[in-house]
Amino acid sequence: MRRFRTVPACILLMGFLVAAVNGAEAEVSPGDVIDKSNWQQVEGLVPEPLLNWIKQGDSITIGELQYNPAEFYPSFSLDSLTANVGKYDVNEDDIIVDVKTGKLPEFILGLPFPKIELDDPKAGQKIMFNKYYYQYSFGNTRSAFLLKWIGRKRGFERSIKAEQSMLVLDGHPAAKEERRQDNELVLTSARVVHPPDVSGTNTLNWRYRDERQDFSHVYMPAIRRLRRMSPANRSDSFLGSDMCADDNWGYAGKVGAFDWKVVRKTEALMPFAFDQEVPVRIFVNDDGEWETEKTGREIILGYQKEGYQGAPWFGTSVIFVKRPAYVLECKSKDRYYNYGTQYLWVDAESYVPVYKVIHDRAGDYWKCVMGFIVALSSEDGKVRMVAPGGQMAVDDRSQHASVGLAGSTATGESSLFEAILDRNDFSLAGFLKLCK
């Protein structure tokens, strides 16, 4: 009898020991390297696809920042965190309205929704509006990016270089002086500059502040024609890559085009570009624009790192930092949209989306998008912002990925904020002139 009773006691003791070990493994510290031997340490802190990539051979390094991203707002945006509390709401059409008038405000400065209540049925939409208005706080922008095609077996296949410009008409002080012709919110143009077989493929997009859908056109050099795009085209592959237009910066469509639901607020491991413990410096150039310095640092992918045993597309030079995050469930209202349910992981302080887990319309997992965050700061620390430095879209079915790297993270060129742009370049006539 005594012998029989001691067995459960031993098992119970072993259970306590195992629980203690597992509890210790659940914590991560700066300098930890997580791979397939200890993947349990990050379970719950990253999306399931990233956890599976680690199990299959990728590895991540836990880092620590020497700055606080929660402070990386322009001064007027910091002021808005107090001034805009309770000032705006989202109506049944998913449009921002003034609480007092119930109408669309003439102008919004800074973040419209500084306080997010998780039980608010419109909390998801408000988080996404904050995402956009944080982006608009940079003012007009112009940058180059490199998009790479990479396969599991073949490695690097090809790349294209493109340039994008964005004219902001809300959310930034200078935008208040910019004329609006038809209640536009932001105007965007992009053009492919290399290689020659796709060079000249250009897009133009007008986004409105009201419920109207985007006005989008694409110029196809092969047929020398300008073609109008429908909202469903935003989920089509971009030039045969693993990304679509709406994958840019996590989600690039209209807030009202999707249904949104907050799943939870949690702690998550967010990737910061090229071991970025300190911000990249920005400075005022001769034209008065804010320009990123040429750091000489790039995001190193798996195929570029000798001896790396993981995927050839994986960003090996990033660090993963524990950050507060919102997890949103989202689904397009358009039944012709290529994606089904998606889950977006958004930094809870900078509102930069970092992960997007994508299912097909049948509900099966398809692919995952992971972004790389870059923090920017002036020498005196008075101008600071957090922005995407690139992202990779991994199609786990085809074992193929596309990696987009912005500005100095790959092209060796600076990105511009509060850029000087010509409003006429975003008209149809100006766009056609660019296409010739």
Side-chain angles (χ1 to χ4, degrees):
M1 292 292 293
R2 180 179 300 177
R3 187 177 185 182
F4 180 75
R5 287 196 300 268
T6 58
V7 173
C10 293
I11 293 175
L12 186 61
L13 178 59
M14 290 176 63
F16 282 135
L17 292 173
V18 170
V21 171
N22 287 340
E25 288 180 348
E27 296 296 325
V28 292
S29 302
D32 289 350
V33 176
I34 308 299
D35 56 26
K36 58 185 177 182
S37 68
N38 59 351
W39 59 267
Q40 295 91 343
Q41 290 185 230
V42 297
E43 191 169 14
L45 295 175
V46 298
E48 195 68 25
L50 176 53
L51 195 66
N52 289 332
W53 299 341
I54 295 171
K55 294 177 185 179
Q56 295 166 12
D58 286 311
S59 60
I60 65 174
T61 300
I62 309 302
E64 185 175 25
L65 304 176
Q66 298 179 21
Y67 57 90
N68 182 6
E71 300 172 353
F72 273 52
Y73 287 83
S75 58
F76 65 88
S77 286
L78 282 173
D79 294 340
S80 75
L81 299 181
T82 301
N84 288 349
V85 172
K87 190 174 182 179
Y88 304 111
D89 202 354
V90 176
N91 67 11
E92 64 276 7
D93 296 319
D94 289 339
I95 301 299
I96 298 177
V97 293
D98 190 298
V99 169
K100 292 182 179 179
T101 65
K103 297 180 180 179
L104 180 69
E106 288 294 326
F107 187 78
I108 298 172
L109 185 62
L111 268 64
F113 303 107
K115 190 174 181 180
I116 301 295
E117 301 287 351
L118 296 184
D119 58 353
D120 183 347
K122 293 289 186 178
Q125 288 90 330
K126 292 177 180 180
I127 289 169
M128 294 309 294
F129 275 120
N130 280 351
K131 174 257 185 189
Y132 280 116
Y133 276 85
Y134 184 85
Q135 181 181 359
Y136 303 155
S137 71
F138 305 165
N140 300 337
T141 60
R142 185 167 65 235
S143 63
F145 66 90
L146 200 65
L147 182 60
K148 299 184 177 185
W149 279 249
I150 305 171
R152 171 75 72 174
K153 295 181 179 180
R154 297 178 59 183
F156 173 77
E157 298 169 355
R158 65 172 301 197
S159 66
I160 65 167
K161 181 182 177 182
E163 298 173 349
Q164 178 172 291
S165 298
M166 183 177 71
L167 185 76
V168 171
L169 297 169
D170 204 5
H172 187 273
K176 200 167 188 178
E177 308 302 321
E178 190 71 46
R179 68 187 187 278
R180 288 195 193 123
Q181 298 176 345
D182 193 20
N183 206 19
E184 302 98 330
L185 174 63
V186 63
L187 312 177
T188 308
S189 69
R191 63 191 187 104
V192 179
V193 297
H194 186 79
D197 62 325
V198 290
S199 177
T201 303
N202 303 331
T203 60
L204 175 69
N205 191 77
W206 302 347
R207 177 156 297 168
Y208 301 98
R209 301 174 75 243
D210 51 36
E211 68 276 4
R212 284 175 294 171
Q213 295 289 346
D214 290 354
F215 180 80
S216 303
H217 281 84
V218 59
Y219 178 79
M220 309 297 293
I223 59 175
R224 296 185 180 181
R225 290 292 184 272
L226 188 67
R227 183 168 66 90
R228 178 76 183 270
M229 296 172 59
S230 77
N233 292 133
R234 298 191 62 87
S235 62
D236 289 345
S237 169
F238 176 67
L239 295 178
S241 72
D242 302 287
M243 295 185 190
C244 70
D246 272 353
D247 290 334
N248 187 30
W249 205 336
Y251 176 67
K254 288 203 73 169
V255 174
F258 272 57
D259 291 317
W260 302 90
K261 182 175 72 174
V262 179
V263 177
R264 64 185 182 277
K265 186 176 182 181
T266 186
E267 282 193 320
L269 289 172
M270 302 296 205
F272 283 72
F274 44 73
D275 300 334
Q276 203 207 9
E277 291 91 351
V278 296
V280 170
R281 294 300 179 196
I282 56 175
F283 61 93
V284 178
N285 63 21
D286 293 339
D287 294 322
E289 306 162 307
W290 285 101
E291 182 174 337
T292 57
E293 67 176 0
K294 297 179 175 62
T295 64
R297 294 183 292 171
E298 296 183 3
I299 295 175
I300 305 300
L301 305 180
Y303 78 91
Q304 297 171 310
K305 184 176 180 180
E306 186 176 356
Y308 185 68
Q309 299 299 310
W313 54 72
F314 197 79
T316 67
S317 57
V318 302
I319 59 171
F320 286 75
V321 179
K322 189 179 286 189
R323 303 275 301 140
Y326 295 109
V327 180
L328 308 181
E329 179 185 281
C330 50
K331 189 172 184 179
S332 176
K333 298 175 182 178
D334 186 346
R335 63 175 183 167
Y336 297 107
Y337 200 83
N338 289 330
Y339 295 165
T341 303
Q342 304 162 61
Y343 293 91
L344 201 63
W345 295 48
V346 182
D347 187 285
E349 293 174 344
S350 66
Y351 295 97
V352 175
V354 175
Y355 303 108
K356 183 163 76 169
V357 181
I358 302 165
H359 296 79
D360 61 22
R361 292 167 62 185
D364 297 323
Y365 169 67
W366 181 3
K367 57 184 177 180
C368 181
V369 178
M370 184 174 83
F372 310 116
I373 301 174
V374 172
L376 310 169
S377 176
S378 60
E379 189 69 34
D380 58 9
K382 292 183 178 180
V383 178
R384 297 180 292 183
M385 60 191 76
V386 174
Q391 64 182 39
M392 65 180 193
V394 181
D395 186 332
D396 277 310
R397 293 178 178 175
S398 65
Q399 288 296 291
H400 195 276
S402 299
V403 182
L405 301 174
S408 59
T409 63
T411 65
E413 300 177 25
S414 296
S415 297
L416 300 177
F417 304 93
E418 298 188 11
I420 299 173
L421 303 176
D422 188 342
R423 175 72 168 75
N424 294 319
D425 291 340
F426 298 87
S427 66
L428 275 178
F431 181 65
L432 285 171
K433 184 177 179 181
L434 173 69
C435 294
K436 292 180 179 179

